[in-house]
Amino acid sequence: MAFVCRSFSLPLPPSQTTQKPRLSRAPVVSALSNEELRRAPARGTPSALESRVSLVLALVSQATTATQRRLEELAEETAKYALPRRYEARNFEEALMSVPNLETVKYRVLKQTEQYEIREVEPYYVAETTMPSRNGFDFNGASQSFNVLASYLFGKNTGNEQMEMTTPVYTQKVESSGKKMDMTTPVITKRSSDQEKWQMSFVMPSKYGSNLPLPKDQSVTIKEVRKKIVAVTAFSGFVTDEDVSRRESKLREALKTDLEFQLKDGALVEVAQFNPPFTLPFTRRNEIALEVERITK
């Protein structure tokens, strides 16, 4: 029995101690490796953290590009006011005037005198609205009308289109019969002689032509302004009804001696304002205009 005990207590040969573990553990090691491979992401596929980092970087890059583009647009728009263009000056007052470098109504100068300029104005489209004030240059009434037209221009239309601003802003009387006279350039305000009403109009960007989106506000209407000839005189400062009345009378009187052009029957004054409100008074450019026609011999 002692022999038997000793034989069972003897350690096994080295070849037997190393071979069994290899035979028994090899399948286990292989199985664990396959499981790890199934759980691990495939080669070339980013992990969840890498995906989030890439997304954040992409969004930051996109935001940076959008911000840079917006800053460039803002700088371009600012330059239109910071670096304005000037009209040909005929006197010291006009030499101080400047206007934003924005699109304006196209015209051709037919004649120049010391007191006025005769222009042939090309056709254009306007958006117009009736002003609530009895005065053409009442601040509250003008502001309300301006905001209504600006809302249409900047997206309150059937196409949700944001259109560019143009110059100038016109204010014009309406004939007593109620028929609206044609106007020139960006914003025009007209008054009805019998109802003491004024209308304001924005000139539309020429690139749209007749394909303008319709206004959502029913108080805004779109119309085409025909080609016409006008007599124009420029002045600076803020516009008042008294100032317009005085300058209109002076222009009418000057046109009486013109041998080529005469006032058109029923011509009513229109006032163009080119500058934003923050412009210094003595650098602002305003114009009053009366429609004229050639004198037939």
Side-chain angles (χ1 to χ4, degrees):
M1 295 297 294
F3 177 78
V4 173
C5 292
R6 282 196 299 269
S7 64
F8 279 98
S9 62
L10 290 173
L12 293 173
S15 60
Q16 292 178 339
T17 59
T18 55
Q19 181 134 4
K20 281 189 178 181
R22 278 202 304 268
L23 292 174
S24 60
R25 284 201 299 266
V28 177
V29 172
S30 176
L32 290 175
S33 299
N34 290 337
E35 183 66 22
E36 290 174 352
L37 289 173
R38 283 194 297 270
R39 293 181 180 179
R43 182 178 295 273
T45 303
S47 65
L49 178 59
E50 291 173 334
S51 298
R52 286 194 292 271
V53 172
S54 298
L55 178 60
V56 170
L57 292 176
L59 292 175
V60 170
S61 176
Q62 182 178 4
T64 302
T65 302
T67 302
Q68 183 178 1
R69 184 167 58 248
R70 179 58 184 155
L71 289 174
E72 290 175 353
E73 293 174 354
L74 181 60
E76 183 179 352
E77 290 299 316
T78 303
K80 294 178 181 179
Y81 295 92
L83 302 173
R85 57 187 174 86
R86 295 183 179 274
Y87 278 72
E88 182 180 351
R90 291 173 301 184
N91 52 51
F92 179 73
E93 183 182 22
E94 288 194 52
L96 298 176
M97 300 177 189
S98 63
V99 297
N101 192 20
L102 302 173
E103 180 183 1
T104 189
V105 171
K106 296 179 180 179
Y107 63 85
R108 180 167 61 96
V109 177
L110 303 180
K111 180 180 179 179
Q112 282 186 325
T113 71
E114 292 183 356
Q115 297 172 295
Y116 56 84
E117 185 174 84
I118 303 294
R119 301 175 184 171
E120 183 180 54
V121 182
E122 295 297 320
Y124 57 91
Y125 283 85
V126 297
E128 63 183 16
T129 188
T130 300
M131 300 176 66
S133 175
R134 293 173 60 88
N135 299 317
F137 304 97
D138 173 79
F139 178 78
N140 292 329
S143 296
Q144 291 181 40
S145 300
F146 188 94
N147 290 337
V148 168
L149 294 174
S151 295
Y152 163 72
L153 193 70
F154 299 139
K156 194 175 180 180
N157 52 66
T158 54
N160 296 321
E161 185 81 17
Q162 292 190 8
M163 293 172 276
E164 298 176 354
M165 189 64 187
T166 57
T167 61
V169 173
Y170 272 92
T171 308
Q172 185 178 0
K173 298 177 182 180
V174 176
E175 290 179 324
S176 59
S177 62
K179 180 181 178 181
K180 299 175 184 178
M181 291 187 63
D182 295 326
M183 307 166 290
T184 56
T185 331
V187 185
I188 307 170
T189 316
K190 306 176 184 179
R191 190 184 70 186
S192 170
S193 299
D194 53 353
Q195 298 178 359
E196 295 296 320
K197 290 291 185 180
W198 291 80
Q199 285 186 326
M200 180 177 284
S201 303
F202 275 23
V203 172
M204 296 292 97
S206 60
K207 68 180 182 180
Y208 291 94
S210 60
N211 299 318
L212 286 162
L214 298 177
K216 293 181 179 179
D217 191 328
Q218 294 183 355
S219 67
V220 179
T221 57
I222 306 298
K223 64 172 291 186
E224 182 181 10
V225 179
R226 60 173 174 76
K227 178 184 289 188
K228 63 179 180 179
I229 301 175
V230 293
V232 178
T233 183
F235 62 100
S236 61
F238 292 110
V239 182
T240 64
D241 289 274
E242 294 76 13
D243 194 25
V244 169
S245 179
R246 177 175 59 83
R247 293 179 183 278
E248 177 188 358
S249 298
K250 187 176 180 179
L251 179 58
R252 287 180 180 273
E253 190 66 26
L255 286 168
K256 289 180 179 180
T257 60
D258 197 303
L259 301 179
E260 298 179 68
F261 298 91
Q262 63 184 8
L263 281 172
K264 194 171 183 179
D265 290 341
L268 297 176
V269 69
E270 64 182 9
V271 181
Q273 296 173 273
F274 289 82
N275 304 94
F278 53 79
T279 307
L280 294 173
F282 60 87
T283 63
R284 299 176 66 89
R285 183 181 181 90
N286 311 303
E287 295 177 349
I288 62 170
L290 290 166
E291 189 169 3
V292 298
E293 58 186 1
R294 290 186 180 274
I295 297 176
T296 57
K297 296 181 181 180

